[in-house]
Amino acid sequence: MTTMTTTELWCDRCGESATATAHPACASARQLEPPRFCPHCRRRMKVQVLPVGWSAVCVEHGEIRG
Amino acid sequence: MPEILDQARTQVLGDGVGLDQAGVLAVLNLPDEHLPAALQLAHDVRMRWCGPEVEVEGIVSLKTGGCPEDCHFCSQSGLFTSPVRSVWLDIPSLVEAAKQTAATGATEFCIVAAVRGPDARLMKQMREGVAAIKAEVDIQVAASLGMLSKEQVDDLVDMGVHRYNHNLETCRSYFPNVVTTHSWEERWETLRMVRDSGMEVCCGGILGLGETVEQRAEFAAQLAELNPHEVPLNFLNPRPGTPLGDRPVVEGKDALRAIAAFRLAMPRTILRYAGGREITLGDLGTRDGLLGGINAVIVGNYLTTLGRPATADLELLDELKMPVKALSATL
Ligand code: SF4
Ligand SMILES: [Zn+2]
Ligand SMILES: [Zn+2]
């Protein structure tokens, strides 16, 4: 089993480092968008938007829903 | 009162005859101080020729991403470096999405796929999906699957799909600047076959692709010539990685001018607020549009982006005393 840190290393919208700089534009855009990149490993996730909510799957880190 | 609004009052409100291209252009060019009067007139036209009901629809993506076409606004094209990955929705989840949509009071559920046109696998998925929805959910099913063959049109009719969406996206003269992998005429041909089949035609587009105001008027006139049952009006939401990803969003007042102008071009059509209204017009814009010619909304989320909660729109309709169109009224 891999140890998963709780820190988000990557911006889930643009996929760039989340620790180096803040991403206010991404944070604001995310109010009307689902995440696209896994915050733990930066992989592009498989995202399904539904009329209510969304799901996003990283092959390594599993599914998140919103 | 500007002359064009006087003319529209007689011709459109009085006689139900839409403005032509020159008339639409005059509305699109109205100075800001006349915008409230234009919106009021468009609202009066909608109330007179369509009534107070608002048609509520939900949409879902059956097949997301990986599209071989190059529509420059689209995050689902496989030709750009967009972060959207290819994904298929399974049938139980499709039925669940239809149930969520019906629970809002919506009468329309549109199943969308990011494809040039359907292949055998997609048509099979549609047949099973539409049957499963019809068995469990009280809602009308529409579809948007790209360009169709005559056989596919007939198959969709046979499945019980009552309306088909295929957007021209923009006017004929600007289309080659936006899409190079197929032509405006190819889209028109699908629309012609859909209309001939007896399915309702849903055809609109996106404003803010870089078209001129003249080309917006051209687009309204071309839609009016097609005379669709429904016109969904989108405003560009610039998507990262697409060729139009850095374009500015449409100014709120220009978006409202367009809503009024398109209503005055097509007094009887269902004019639907589709994507981009949240970023172009904010929360207040939804109200202004519904009081300026819009008589239909997409509630909930879109295909790859999120909308405001359905409850926010439904509460607004309630406040505006605009009843949600009932299923019995559409059957
Ligand atoms: S055909 Fe549809 S899904 Fe494909 S790129 Fe164009 S708009 Fe996007
Ligand atoms: Zn970011
Ligand atoms: Zn991951």
Side-chain angles (χ1 to χ4, degrees), chain B residues 7-48:
Chain B
Q7 180 198 330
R9 184 170 299 284
T10 312
Q11 175 187 324
V12 191
L13 181 60
D15 302 337
V17 177
L19 293 181
D20 63 8
Q21 186 171 334
V24 171
L25 181 59
V27 174
L28 292 173
N29 280 327
L30 281 175
D32 285 357
E33 73 250 35
H34 295 305
L35 179 57
L39 289 166
Q40 181 62 50
L41 180 58
H43 180 62
D44 293 345
V45 165
R46 166 267 176 118
M47 294 301 264
R48 162 126 199 232

Side-chain angles (χ1 to χ4, degrees), chain A residues 11 13-15 23 26:
Chain A
C11 173
R13 178 170 189 260
C14 70
H23 293 236
C26 290

Side-chain angles (χ1 to χ4, degrees), chain A residues 13 30-34 36-37 44-54 57 59, chain B residues 61 82-87 89 97 100-101 239-240 278 300-306:
Chain A
R13 178 170 189 260
R30 275 277 283 108
Q31 292 173 8
L32 289 170
E33 293 174 21
R36 291 288 165 191
F37 293 88
R44 279 194 309 154
M45 297 189 288
K46 287 198 165 191
V47 180
Q48 175 73 53
V49 173
L50 294 163
V52 179
W54 48 263
V57 178
V59 284
Chain B
S61 180
S82 154
V84 175
R85 282 188 65 183
S86 191
V87 50
L89 188 64
Q100 288 175 349
T101 299
R239 297 288 75 213
E278 294 83 0
N301 294 332
Y302 301 104
L303 304 173
T304 62
T305 59
L306 312 179

Side-chain angles (χ1 to χ4, degrees), chain B residues 87-136:
Chain B
V87 50
W88 282 77
L89 188 64
D90 59 40
I91 293 191
S93 306
L94 178 70
V95 174
E96 184 54 34
K99 284 183 184 164
Q100 288 175 349
T101 299
T104 66
T107 52
E108 291 285 321
F109 181 64
C110 187
I111 304 171
V112 186
V115 290
R116 175 181 169 92
D119 58 10
R121 176 188 177 193
L122 179 59
M123 289 303 279
K124 180 167 176 287
Q125 185 90 341
M126 277 299 291
R127 185 167 285 281
E128 290 171 16
V130 174
I133 292 167
K134 287 188 175 281
E136 288 193 49

Side-chain angles (χ1 to χ4, degrees), chain B residues 243-267:
Chain B
L244 299 181
D246 294 324
R247 275 208 62 78
V249 302
V250 176
E251 288 282 335
K253 283 189 170 141
D254 289 337
L256 292 172
R257 256 186 282 270
I259 288 168
F262 276 59
R263 169 56 72 201
L264 294 175
M266 292 171 281

Side-chain angles (χ1 to χ4, degrees), chain B residues 298-322:
Chain B
I298 288 176
V299 291
N301 294 332
Y302 301 104
L303 304 173
T304 62
T305 59
L306 312 179
R308 21 184 250 162
T311 45
D313 285 332
L314 298 171
E315 280 164 16
L316 176 61
L317 295 181
D318 198 43
E319 185 197 322
L320 296 175
K321 303 210 171 16
M322 292 182 186

